Amino acid sequence: MGSISNPPSIFDLRSSLSSVSAPAKNGNGAISRSDRPMALDLKLNQRKIVHGDAGYVLEDVPHLTDYIPDAPNYPNPLQDNPAYSVVKQYFVNTDDTVAQKIVVHKGSPRGTHFRRAGPRQKVYFESDEVHACIVTCGGLCPGLNTVIREIVCGLAHMYGVTKILGIEGGYRGFYARNTISLTPKSVNDIHKRGGTILSTSRGGHDTSKIVDSIQDRGINQVYIIGGDGTQKGASVIFEEIQRRGLKVAVVGIPKTIDNDIAVIDKSFGFDTAVEEAQRAINAAHVEAGSVENGIGVVKLMGRYSGFIAMYATLASRDVDCCLIPESPFYLEGKGGLFEFIEKRLKENGHMVLVVAEGAGQELIAESMRSMNHEDASGNKLLLDVGLWLSQKIKDHFSCKGKMTINLKYIDPTYMIRAVPANASDNVYSTLLAHSALHGAMAGYTGFTVGPVNGRHAYIPFYRVTEARNNVVITDRMWARLLSSTNQPSFLTLKDIESVRNVYSPKYLPPIKEPIYNGLPNSGSAEEHHDDQVADESSLVNQISGATTKH
Ligand SMILES: Nc1ncnc2c1ncn2[C@@H]1O[C@H](COP(=O)(O)OP(=O)(O)O)[C@@H](O)[C@H]1O
Ligand SMILES: O=P(O)(O)OC[C@H]1O[C@](O)(COP(=O)(O)O)[C@@H](O)[C@@H]1O
Ligand SMILES: [Mg+2]
């Protein structure tokens, strides 16, 4: 990638900061406020964006040398490690990057890239200098313990690190809870258990108390495992660390059962959750199929994003209707849910309905006392769509003259996230942990790690916190689901027209037929979807009235 050129308008943070004279430091590497050079203050938190030939853009992550220009480096001890030294080209080339968009059109710009994850020739920490800590925040997710285990074992076995601290109880654990010392021996079996051995929490993010605790304990690598809220918290911790001029690498490892973190291909634990959801769907199918006009309703997790419900439905093939937050639905009248249920019961004698917990919140709010409550992290507390929907269906069919139904409601929500990771999530969690610690050892900081088109990359925090990953209902995947269940799309012609006109007018032919099963030509949207995910998602949210908070 020697061809990268930096046009004058483009700011390369590292090179401009390296010309700043080394500031004076106090005890544990902090630069005192009065000694901090002006250039440093001005350039903190700037995005590192490098432009190259043919529309190539690198959205780079910060490096310790951005604000500690004289930080020494050392040869990577991995080159003497018998397990790794035999690997041809074990170290990643300094300039390797990963493309965010891999489907490209002839003549289109190369687009956004991220720094490739992996071990570097040079490290910015000596083994006995490292004092790492690990914290888990937010909801549970299968694989949390595997990530903890592999950070501990990776740091110890690859880099000879011996000081690793577990922060208990999420962010507030930095200042209000105990810590535990983690060793390869103490974490040896934890990947076989669900949950997190460090325990977790929502709320309690007090940036200055957290950074004080990091500074006081002499911690210089912080591994933060959590979802979108956690990554926002990690980002402000990083900013404060940078402001104080501390030699501390801050690394986020994305965790979300909902798969709602932007940019990365998929979050760990998601496959396990989808697999576990099959058990509930199977039970619902057996129950529904064993009685006359049986209806099985299964509620799955997914606060703002319906990925679990969508993938569990696609995997199962026993589901007749899947409802997600991104796709509004209605109950009564032509094309409504009740009409579809009646039709399906008449055809098959039974049906299975999967509903993501965030679906239909506006409908419930209309018929119940509206609740605008939030949890400790500021996430919207949801009304129980599973119970509400079950009751609505029962009420509808209990009317005189309607068919008699037999409805069973299954709520396995916490069961799908409390289990240990399956085999593939275990391997994936291992790779995430390794990518994270290689990045920290190489001096990178202020990043989230994750696979982008199958290659692990270091992604600046802002890219994973400024937008959420949603099911795009004009993509082929949702069309696949609609065609597999043959359920109504519940969208009016006006809804579809506005979605299509706003973000892809030039690609999409006009709608000719009324919408019932699936979105006509919805496949064509996916071809152009790479550029449009953020726009599409927000648009879909507008249509569904879903909140985009948090
Ligand atoms: N905007 C934010 N700024 C700082 N910290 C945040 C922010 N949003 C959430 N957090 C903190 O991140 C942690 C986890 O957030 P939460 O939303 O509960 O889970 P998740 O990280 O899984 O989305 C909580 O301790 C919360 O206080
Ligand atoms: O009851 P809790 O623990 O707050 O968790 C419920 C929420 O956690 C999730 O499983 C995941 O949310 P996070 O990614 O924010 O942790 C949501 O699907 C669900 O709404
Ligand atoms: Mg979240």
Side-chain angles (χ1 to χ4, degrees), residues 222-235:
V222 185
Y223 296 93
I224 302 176
I225 313 170
D228 53 346
T230 305
Q231 304 302 316
K232 286 176 192 156
S235 177

Side-chain angles (χ1 to χ4, degrees), residues 372-423:
N372 278 325
H373 295 159
E374 291 180 345
D375 70 12
S377 294
N379 299 304
K380 187 177 158 189
L381 277 178
L382 301 173
L383 299 157
D384 192 328
V385 65
L387 278 176
W388 173 83
L389 190 61
S390 301
Q391 195 54 51
K392 282 278 172 194
I393 296 171
K394 282 181 191 168
D395 291 349
H396 175 79
F397 285 97
S398 68
C399 290
K400 210 165 162 244
K402 291 259 177 343
M403 56 173 64
T404 308
I405 59 150
N406 203 328
L407 186 146
K408 300 286 187 305
Y409 172 46
I410 301 180
D411 178 353
T413 46
Y414 290 103
M415 291 176 67
I416 66 167
R417 71 174 201 186
V419 292
N422 68 11

Side-chain angles (χ1 to χ4, degrees), residues 228-229 260 303 379 550:
D228 53 346
D260 59 0
R303 188 190 277 128
N379 299 304
H550 174 56

